[in-house]
Amino acid sequence: MKDYFPDISTITYEGNNSKNPYSFKYYKADKKIGSKTMHEHLKFALAYWHTLTGKGVDPFGADTMIRPWDNLADPMDKARARVDASFELMQKLGIRYFCLHDRDIAPEAATLKETNRNLDILVELIGKQMKATGIKLLWGTANMFLNSRYLHGAATSCNADVFAYAGAQVKKAMEITKELGGANYVFWGGREGYETLLNTDMDFELDNQARLLRMAIDYAKEIGFTGQFLIEPKPKEPTKHQYDFDVASVMVFLRKYGLDKDFKINIESNHATLAGHTFQHELCLARINNMLGSIDANQGDPLLGWDTDQYPTDVYNATLAMYEVLKNGGLHSGGINFDAKPRRASFEPSDLFLCFIAGMDTYAKGLEAAYKLLNNGELEDFIRERYSSYSSGIGKDIVEGKAGLKELEEYALQHDRIINNSGRQELLETIVNRYIL
Ligand code: XLS
Ligand code: NI
Ligand code: NI
């Protein structure tokens, strides 16, 4: 097997005094945080698309990233080389999971039949590498946004032939996810949304989106795929209004169609930002509804209004995210997928290592801080105290359903000199800082 990154050896933990950029400062895979090791808490995954096929294009400029496998002319040879390169990367970084779209691993051919044959060849190769290394598939998905056939959407296209093609693609993607032992299957509605209601039957499109999901559930039963289905919300981009806008809209959609027991949510940090939410808000809302499934870890830039998919380096954000994950009792079948790409100017192959190191260290530090914060209970105690008026008297009656509006009026007439307490936001922010710094 060819070595694609010969100058870089296995990345190890050296601690935060080390100046060696090719070492972990905080991520120590076997370090125990509570009853689990860091790597059990943080099931890091490599996103095959950004890492292996990303080339640094932007709307104004061409490729900047020339990878060691890019000199191969035959697309299938290139695809094979990427498999070797991906497993080399994951092994050297100690990443135990990866995520893929069907089209990341194998090139699309002239017909669907040939495309599926290409996929089978690559799946066999990936399966062998997985067996040899113990690396697992966190989730699989179908890319139903790149090809121009999806210009009106996939399941929400106005064209039934496109719906059928999307169904065929989901079927095959589910089969390969099952074959590779994938723990989850993701739906990100790349082009499921609209540009203008002047030409859109939103009601019908949403029914159709639900129809495709229902078919996927049925097919999973048929083939014995027991992985978790996930929906990944995003408010905009590529369409102006994506149907799966945020956690709240995904839940409303799933409940309307009776699909909420079959799905959980894959929450991406940068998508939360685009929706005008904090990452923590999205994670918390999913958690309290028992819908928190998995994470796409990245970050946006507050000054740029699009999905910049940067590697996460914001420890504050990672700490609050891990706080929610810990409160959720972990991510269960989910994990932390680095849906992130190096900046366009970070084009050297070695940057890939530096990117992952940055992201893994950020989440490791975030996990440690979050664990201590939760365990010491400073925030939890404050919050409990803040709502303590509901544990006795009229508050208890409200919660237990013993008071109606008449009882409230009776009470308020006698207690109309109300005393409130400070919310102490700045104090609490200082407490969080104490755990991070
Ligand atoms: C794009 C999405 C995509 C999904 C997988 O913004 O994040 O990468 O994670 O289709
Ligand atoms: Ni994503
Ligand atoms: Ni994204």
Side-chain angles (χ1 to χ4, degrees):
M1 204 169 89
K2 190 172 174 324
D3 201 352
Y4 287 96
F5 309 97
D7 301 335
I8 299 170
S9 42
T10 303
I11 310 297
T12 56
Y13 170 80
E14 290 185 9
N16 67 350
N17 287 324
S18 169
K19 292 254 163 36
N20 173 12
Y22 295 96
S23 71
F24 293 120
K25 313 298 177 294
Y26 300 99
Y27 181 63
K28 198 176 180 192
D30 291 320
K31 183 174 177 180
K32 275 274 178 76
I33 305 289
S35 61
K36 291 200 274 183
T37 61
M38 269 197 174
H39 81 79
E40 288 165 338
H41 279 288
L42 304 164
K43 285 158 64 190
F44 289 134
L46 169 145
Y48 206 93
W49 52 106
H50 289 310
T51 316
L52 280 306
T53 65
K55 306 200 95 188
V57 289
D58 75 9
F60 300 94
D63 305 356
T64 60
M65 294 168 189
I66 313 299
R67 300 303 189 205
W69 50 89
D70 278 337
N71 55 353
L72 298 165
D74 176 6
M76 282 299 277
D77 287 344
K78 217 180 265 190
R80 286 190 190 90
R82 286 187 179 122
V83 175
D84 288 345
S86 70
F87 279 85
E88 185 187 337
L89 254 167
M90 289 190 275
Q91 278 186 291
K92 286 185 170 173
L93 283 159
I95 291 183
R96 298 159 200 241
Y97 297 85
F98 66 108
C99 300
L100 56 82
H101 299 85
D102 47 1
R103 300 297 175 254
D104 308 332
I105 57 170
E108 193 156 355
T111 65
L112 181 58
K113 205 169 178 181
E114 274 175 71
T115 303
N116 285 347
R117 202 175 312 128
N118 285 352
L119 262 177
D120 289 334
I121 294 168
L122 268 300
V123 165
E124 197 188 329
L125 204 66
I126 290 174
K128 278 189 189 143
Q129 291 268 26
M130 290 172 71
K131 214 164 171 201
T133 59
I135 289 170
K136 297 191 174 85
L137 180 63
L138 186 67
W139 50 260
T141 187
N143 179 328
M144 304 193 294
F145 44 90
L146 190 66
N147 192 288
S148 56
R149 76 175 65 86
Y150 293 119
L151 77 144
H152 295 304
T156 65
S157 172
C158 49
N159 183 343
D161 283 357
V162 176
F163 186 108
Y165 198 101
Q169 222 183 303
V170 168
K171 174 178 177 286
K172 183 70 182 173
M174 283 173 59
E175 287 163 7
I176 65 171
T177 301
K178 176 177 185 265
E179 167 135 16
L180 295 175
N184 308 272
Y185 184 89
V186 167
F187 285 89
W188 171 60
R191 295 194 185 271
E192 315 293 29
Y194 66 84
E195 294 299 320
T196 171
L197 284 176
L198 298 180
N199 66 10
T200 302
D201 185 342
M202 174 148 63
D203 196 17
F204 183 71
E205 291 199 359
L206 287 168
D207 286 352
N208 267 356
Q209 179 160 305
R211 285 186 180 106
L212 188 77
L213 298 182
R214 171 68 53 211
M215 289 177 196
I217 294 167
D218 290 346
Y219 192 59
K221 286 196 189 108
E222 203 176 316
I223 62 172
F225 173 67
T226 53
Q228 174 69 51
F229 279 119
L230 299 168
I231 292 197
E232 181 177 326
K234 184 174 183 180
K236 55 188 168 193
E237 202 193 39
T239 71
K240 181 168 79 178
H241 193 117
Q242 299 273 130
Y243 289 134
D244 298 329
F245 191 94
D246 59 2
V247 168
S249 22
V250 167
M251 287 192 313
V252 168
F253 167 81
L254 291 173
R255 285 177 190 172
K256 174 176 175 188
Y257 294 98
L259 295 164
D260 51 306
K261 297 284 171 289
D262 295 289
F263 283 85
K264 287 196 190 300
I265 304 182
N266 180 40
I267 303 176
E268 178 165 324
S269 183
N270 202 164
H271 297 180
T273 316
L274 292 175
H277 301 306
T278 62
F279 190 26
Q280 190 187 13
H281 167 89
E282 290 290 81
L283 293 167
C284 181
L285 187 58
R287 174 176 66 74
I288 62 179
N289 284 284
N290 193 28
M291 297 291 277
L292 175 51
S294 200
I295 282 180
D296 270 10
N298 59 14
Q299 70 189 30
D301 186 314
L303 300 183
L304 296 171
W306 66 90
D307 199 13
T308 56
D309 284 336
Q310 292 165 232
Y311 277 84
T313 52
D314 180 343
V315 178
Y316 200 86
N317 200 35
T319 301
L320 297 180
M322 288 313 297
Y323 195 76
E324 291 300 324
V325 169
L326 291 172
K327 285 188 76 167
N328 195 54
L331 288 169
H332 311 293
S333 71
I336 297 176
N337 169 43
F338 288 111
D339 193 353
K341 55 192 177 200
R343 296 307 78 203
R344 187 163 184 265
S346 305
F347 58 86
E348 294 177 20
S350 54
D351 283 304
L352 283 173
F353 284 86
L354 300 174
C355 283
F356 277 103
I357 292 169
M360 291 163 82
D361 268 342
T362 300
Y363 267 80
K365 178 72 190 162
L367 165 67
E368 286 195 297
Y371 184 81
K372 283 191 198 129
L373 186 59
L374 189 60
N375 231 26
N376 290 354
E378 288 191 61
L379 295 187
E380 302 304 301
D381 290 347
F382 183 89
I383 292 173
R384 203 172 308 114
E385 180 55 32
R386 189 162 180 248
Y387 295 92
S388 58
S389 63
Y390 288 92
S391 15
S392 60
I394 190 71
K396 197 163 183 241
D397 287 349
I398 292 169
V399 172
E400 291 178 353
K402 289 185 184 148
L405 294 183
K406 270 194 286 181
E407 289 74 16
L408 295 187
E409 183 191 48
E410 214 171 279
Y411 181 87
L413 285 170
Q414 288 158 36
H415 300 83
D416 57 359
R417 290 191 54 217
I418 289 171
I419 302 163
N420 269 313
N421 295 322
S422 166
R424 299 258 190 266
Q425 182 174 334
E426 299 79 357
L427 167 72
L428 298 169
E429 286 168 348
T430 311
I431 291 175
V432 173
N433 280 350
R434 219 175 64 228
Y435 284 87
I436 295 175
L437 298 172

